[in-house]
Amino acid sequence: MSADGTILVTGGSRGIGAATATLLADQGHRVVIVDIAPEPLAGTSAILWPAPFDVASESAVVTGVAEIEQAHGPITGLVNAAGVFGKMHRIERVRMEQWDREVNIDLRGTFLVARSVGVAMAQRRHGAIVNVASVAGMTSGPIHAYTAAKAGVIQITQTLAAEWGRAGVRVNAVSPGFTRTAMLEAGIASGALNKDLLARPTAMNRLVEPIEVAQAIAWLLSPASSGVTGINLPVDAGYIAGTTWAAYGGLPDAPIS
Ligand SMILES: NC(=O)c1ccc[n+]([C@@H]2O[C@H](COP(=O)([O-])OP(=O)(O)OC[C@H]3O[C@@H](n4cnc5c(N)ncnc54)[C@H](O)[C@@H]3O)[C@@H](O)[C@H]2O)c1
């Protein structure tokens, strides 16, 4: 779907976006990364868009996408990986500025970039988009704005898939579980997050690696998934499958061999 054009990766300077941009570039694609805090990726041919790119700003997105297409040609693949994590609070302490920030970047930003890129893809009858949602958008947690925003990302993925299906544009989502990015590692190192508590509910008893999310995204962008649109693919080491087992005493260990 994208071998003949440019793939744009938002939030490409770090974490899942960086792993995805690196993998796609290694596969031979022309990849442009944008980020609000742009930093080049070492050891990859992915091209850094040097100006800060804020997915939550409509004017910045519209202008930025036009300038990128002028410089690097039509965008035929889009990965919406820019995002911020939810702040954990009891409901009484949720600050609405924080709510607005999370919803504006995670949901509004995904919609703005998908629209700016996808309308032109639909006119050209060619393209694939992958939105990075989260298992948080499929479950509940004390991260009220984040869960709502990610549920919204899963929903608009379906709407855009239906909107552009006849125009040859596929739109899908991936929903990572807890993924071992630098930020998550820092949270574990600081003691704010507990690695065992994050891993234990998953069927596989572990965190997800950024490359594992990247591989799912690369598949959804590629012709290998040509019949797939409107789905939300969890890449969660079995978090959703395993999480209800706590009510039955926990998940079983592997049998002794
Ligand atoms: N790491 C996890 O455990 C996990 C789990 C589920 C979903 N996700 C989602 O994956 C996506 C990537 O997260 P990550 O874990 O790689 O985080 P990360 O912080 O490592 O990377 C996010 C990137 O997005 C950029 N960004 C933030 N706000 C932006 C804005 N307004 N405009 C443009 N860029 C912006 C950041 O500068 C950063 O480079 C996010 O949508 C996140 O919600 C992450």
Side-chain angles (χ1 to χ4, degrees):
M1 287 290 145
S2 50
D4 53 348
T6 293
I7 302 178
L8 180 67
V9 181
T10 73
S13 284
R14 277 162 217 91
I16 290 168
T20 305
T22 303
L23 175 66
L24 292 167
D26 288 352
Q27 290 177 345
H29 298 287
R30 187 188 316 129
V31 178
V32 174
I33 62 172
V34 291
D35 205 288
I36 199 163
E39 263 178 44
L41 301 178
T44 160
S45 62
I47 301 160
L48 175 71
W49 188 252
F53 184 108
D54 180 1
V55 297
S57 159
E58 183 174 9
S59 56
V61 168
V62 170
T63 312
V65 166
E67 287 174 355
I68 290 164
E69 291 209 310
Q70 214 165 27
H72 298 290
I75 297 168
T76 52
L78 167 65
V79 181
N80 270 314
V84 287
F85 280 114
K87 287 247 190 280
M88 273 196 292
H89 284 305
R90 289 189 62 121
I91 192 163
E92 298 85 345
R93 301 199 52 226
V94 172
R95 288 182 17 242
M96 293 320 285
E97 311 86 76
Q98 188 61 34
W99 172 285
D100 289 344
R101 177 167 189 269
E102 290 168 29
V103 172
N104 280 343
I105 296 172
D106 291 350
L107 178 56
R108 185 177 196 264
T110 299
F111 176 77
L112 279 175
V113 183
R115 182 174 65 178
S116 282
V117 172
V119 167
M121 284 178 170
Q123 282 161 355
R124 294 191 293 264
R125 304 280 187 274
H126 180 61
I129 297 175
V130 181
N131 297 323
V132 182
S134 171
V135 291
M138 308 164 72
T139 54
S140 79
I143 38 176
H144 306 76
Y146 186 77
T147 46
K150 292 298 187 178
V153 170
I154 294 165
Q155 202 289 323
I156 59 164
T157 299
Q158 274 193 355
T159 297
L160 297 181
E163 181 115 26
W164 292 325
R166 283 164 167 71
V169 179
R170 296 186 301 111
V171 188
N172 291 292
V174 293
S175 276
F178 293 109
T179 304
R180 217 162 55 88
T181 56
M183 190 134 96
L184 196 91
E185 288 283 19
I188 292 169
S190 74
L193 293 170
N194 179 313
K195 189 176 171 201
D196 289 339
L197 288 184
L198 299 179
R200 198 175 303 148
T202 70
M204 298 167 83
N205 196 24
R206 68 169 176 82
L207 304 180
V208 175
E209 297 295 327
I211 185 68
E212 294 177 309
V213 183
Q215 279 160 344
I217 294 171
W219 177 70
L220 285 169
L221 285 177
S222 80
S225 63
S226 56
V228 179
T229 197
I231 70 157
N232 171 38
L233 176 62
V235 184
D236 66 348
Y239 176 82
I240 289 170
T243 206
T244 51
W245 281 58
Y248 306 99
L251 288 153
D253 291 328
I256 296 158
S257 49

